[in-house]
């Protein structure tokens, strides 16, 4: 007997999410040190002193369960965005929330739509619940909202839009998004995944759309610009009824106490965010200038990463970079066999990548 015969069909067909290669794994495999990891769009600045002291303080209480309602963090988020706390759902990373949304709303005979080159978790959660994925063709590596509109059917329950998009970094202005959202049927939910929103323009006003469009859910995370990827905390902002449903199916303590404490402090640490953004802009310029010298170009990105056309097999370039101690991300699994994605690191890390890429090519 195989356990695959016992499992759900939609589960046996799943290809697991492939995370960026951890530094320790590469050290073990190749016996090399001084490795640079630019593979998971993390914040290279490390945690701020404020976050570190919040963690030290919170660690004294780890014998206790966390606040299962995340009251303090939800209140801080609600206040920041001018919403009510009953519009906030916390997750173990925004990944958790994305999955909760699919589980709460989509049944196997319904459709979930997302764009070609969209974030890998959308097809994963769709397949895990046995629903049908409808993939809209991309335009210039980004969302083609026109194409997406024409694919909406009465079976479309959920539409995922990442803005900026991962892995391509493409970005849609809020007014274009609004025009799209306005003509999506009320019974179709739209998830606007803004994992990288803090890297873009300062005054993104997508939150205001929540008032007008009850079928809109905005997800954000502390993993990227707030620098807390290892703690796993993200959230959804939505209509209160949607939040209520998501909160019914989440695990009672899905966000741990250290994550809750750190996120609350990080949310008010404006200096860290400003530094992060400045650092990201400088690193982006450094990488683009270096790529230009190598005769390469990247897809214009509003995130903390760029996806580079290496004009060669991206998996091979990735493997050769590994041997030089530089971990990037191949994106052939996204249908981009000649690209690699590189996260913006510290200045010397970016330089290591450029030098290594120059050698490889
Ligand atoms: C577009 C997008 N959404 C969501 C996530 C999930 O991030 P997390 O679960 O760390 O909040 C990521 C992470 O890479 C992402 O790129």
């Amino acid at each position: 007997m195989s356990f695959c015969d016992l499992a759900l069909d939609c589960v046996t067909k799943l290809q697991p999410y492939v995370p960026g290669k951890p530094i320790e794994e590469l050290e073990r495999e190749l016996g090399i040190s001084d490795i640079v990891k630019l593979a998971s769009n993390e914040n290279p600045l490390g945690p701020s002193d404020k976050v570190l002291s919040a963690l030290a303080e919170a660690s004294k209480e780890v014998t206790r369960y966390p606040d299962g309602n995340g009251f303090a963090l939800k209140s801080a988020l609600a206040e920041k965005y001018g919403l009510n706390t009953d519009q906030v759902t916390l997750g173990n990373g925004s990944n958790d929330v994305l999955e909760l949304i699919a589980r709460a709303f989509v049944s196997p005979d319904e459709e979930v739509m997302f764009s070609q080159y969209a974030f890998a978790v959308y097809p994963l959660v769709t397949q895990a619940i046995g629903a049908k994925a409808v993939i809209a063709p991309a335009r210039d590596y980004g969302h083609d909202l026109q194409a997406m509109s024409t694919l909406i059917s009465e079976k479309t329950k959920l539409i995922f839009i990442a803005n900026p998009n991962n892995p391509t970094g493409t970005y849609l202005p809020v007014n274009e998004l609004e025009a799209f959202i306005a003509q999506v049927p009320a019974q179709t939910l739209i998830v606007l995944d803004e994992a990288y929103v803090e890297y873009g323009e300062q005054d993104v006003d997508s939150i205001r759309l929540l008032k007008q469009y009850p079928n809109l859910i905005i997800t954000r995370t502390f993993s990227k610009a707030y620098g807390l990827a290892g703690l796993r905390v993200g959230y959804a902002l939505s209509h209160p009824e949607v939040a209520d449903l998501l909160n019914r199916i989440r695990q009672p303590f899905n966000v741990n106490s250290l994550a809750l404490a750190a996120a609350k402090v990080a949310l008010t640490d404006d200096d860290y965010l400003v530094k992060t953004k400045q650092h990201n802009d400088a690193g982006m310029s450094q990488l683009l200038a270096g790529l230009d010298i190598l005769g390469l170009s990247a897809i214009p990105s509003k995130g903390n990463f760029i996806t580079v056309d290496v004009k060669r097999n991206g998996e091979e370039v990735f493997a050769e970079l590994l041997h030089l101690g530089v971990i990037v991300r191949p994106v052939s699994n996204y249908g981009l066999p000649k690209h690699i994605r590189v996260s913006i690191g510290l200045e010397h890390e970016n330089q290591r990548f450029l030098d290594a890429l120059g050698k490889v090519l």
Side-chain angles (χ1 to χ4, degrees), residues 25-284:
E25 191 177 306
L26 187 60
E27 274 172 351
R28 267 198 319 272
E29 281 176 7
L30 298 184
I32 54 174
S33 54
D34 191 22
I35 290 165
V36 167
K37 183 186 175 207
L38 301 172
S40 301
N41 303 342
E42 296 146 339
N43 190 324
L45 298 181
S48 70
D49 289 344
K50 285 182 191 164
V51 160
L52 290 176
S53 51
L55 284 173
E57 198 50 39
S59 68
K60 294 177 191 158
E61 293 294 327
V62 291
T63 50
R64 308 253 172 233
Y65 280 98
D67 172 4
N69 285 319
F71 176 79
L73 180 58
K74 274 193 194 174
S75 304
L77 286 164
E79 193 185 321
K80 181 177 167 82
Y81 297 123
L83 301 170
N84 293 319
T85 48
D86 63 1
Q87 294 183 268
V88 185
T89 308
L90 300 179
N92 189 243
S94 56
N95 247 319
D96 187 21
V97 185
L98 297 173
E99 195 190 326
L100 291 176
I101 297 167
R103 277 179 44 215
F105 289 102
V106 186
S107 47
D109 60 338
E110 293 178 316
E111 296 175 355
V112 177
M113 193 195 298
F114 43 85
S115 178
Q116 186 186 9
Y117 314 129
F119 183 42
V121 162
Y122 309 156
L124 258 179
V125 298
T126 305
Q127 209 183 327
I129 52 173
K132 184 178 168 207
V134 174
I135 303 171
R139 196 178 65 193
D140 298 331
Y141 297 105
H143 292 81
D144 182 342
L145 295 177
Q146 189 60 41
M148 293 182 89
S149 295
T150 59
L151 288 170
I152 295 175
S153 76
E154 66 218 22
K155 290 202 162 181
T156 313
K157 190 49 132 351
L158 189 58
I159 301 175
F160 283 114
I161 297 179
N163 199 41
N165 185 45
N166 174 23
T168 58
T170 52
Y171 179 78
L172 293 162
V174 174
N175 62 337
E176 284 180 32
L177 272 172
E178 182 171 6
F180 171 75
I181 293 166
Q183 37 96 54
V184 171
Q187 67 276 16
T188 301
L189 294 162
I190 304 135
V191 174
L192 183 56
D193 174 350
E194 296 189 325
Y196 301 95
V197 72
E198 295 86 3
Y199 291 101
E201 316 316 321
Q202 284 306 301
D203 51 355
V204 178
D205 59 352
S206 52
I207 305 282
R208 79 177 158 81
L209 300 178
L210 288 170
K211 263 208 185 83
Q212 218 171 327
Y213 306 100
N215 55 342
L216 174 66
I217 307 173
I218 295 179
T219 60
R220 293 189 177 184
T221 183
F222 286 91
S223 300
K224 309 297 177 185
Y226 288 101
L228 304 181
L231 288 172
R232 315 300 304 126
V233 48
Y235 56 95
L237 307 172
S238 67
H239 189 279
E241 254 179 65
V242 170
D244 175 41
L245 291 160
L246 298 180
N247 276 295
R248 288 184 205 194
I249 59 162
R250 72 175 171 82
Q251 284 181 32
F253 303 106
N254 63 337
V255 185
N256 71 72
S257 51
L258 297 182
L260 288 171
K264 182 166 174 275
V265 166
L267 196 64
T268 57
D269 196 349
D270 293 336
D271 292 347
Y272 184 79
L273 217 54
V274 169
K275 214 165 115 192
T276 292
K277 173 103 172 70
Q278 283 169 350
H279 180 272
N280 195 63
D281 290 346
M284 176 91 75

Side-chain angles (χ1 to χ4, degrees), residues 277-358:
K277 173 103 172 70
Q278 283 169 350
H279 180 272
N280 195 63
D281 290 346
M284 176 91 75
S285 304
Q286 179 192 2
L287 284 176
L288 292 178
L291 289 172
D292 197 38
I293 292 169
L294 294 174
L296 300 177
S297 62
I299 302 168
S301 168
K302 294 272 190 190
N304 63 343
F305 57 89
I306 48 172
T307 296
V308 185
D309 181 356
V310 287
K311 301 181 189 164
R312 261 188 57 187
N313 184 307
E315 293 281 346
E316 282 171 22
V317 172
F318 158 73
E320 289 174 41
L321 286 172
L322 283 185
H323 281 86
L324 297 172
V326 178
I327 313 176
V328 297
R329 196 68 161 260
V331 280
S332 57
N333 57 326
Y334 282 98
L336 295 166
K338 292 195 169 172
H339 286 75
I340 56 169
R341 194 193 70 192
V342 54
S343 308
I344 290 159
L346 299 173
E347 194 180 344
H348 75 271
E349 295 174 324
N350 298 335
Q351 198 52 53
R352 267 282 298 281
F353 161 72
L354 289 169
D355 294 345
L357 187 62

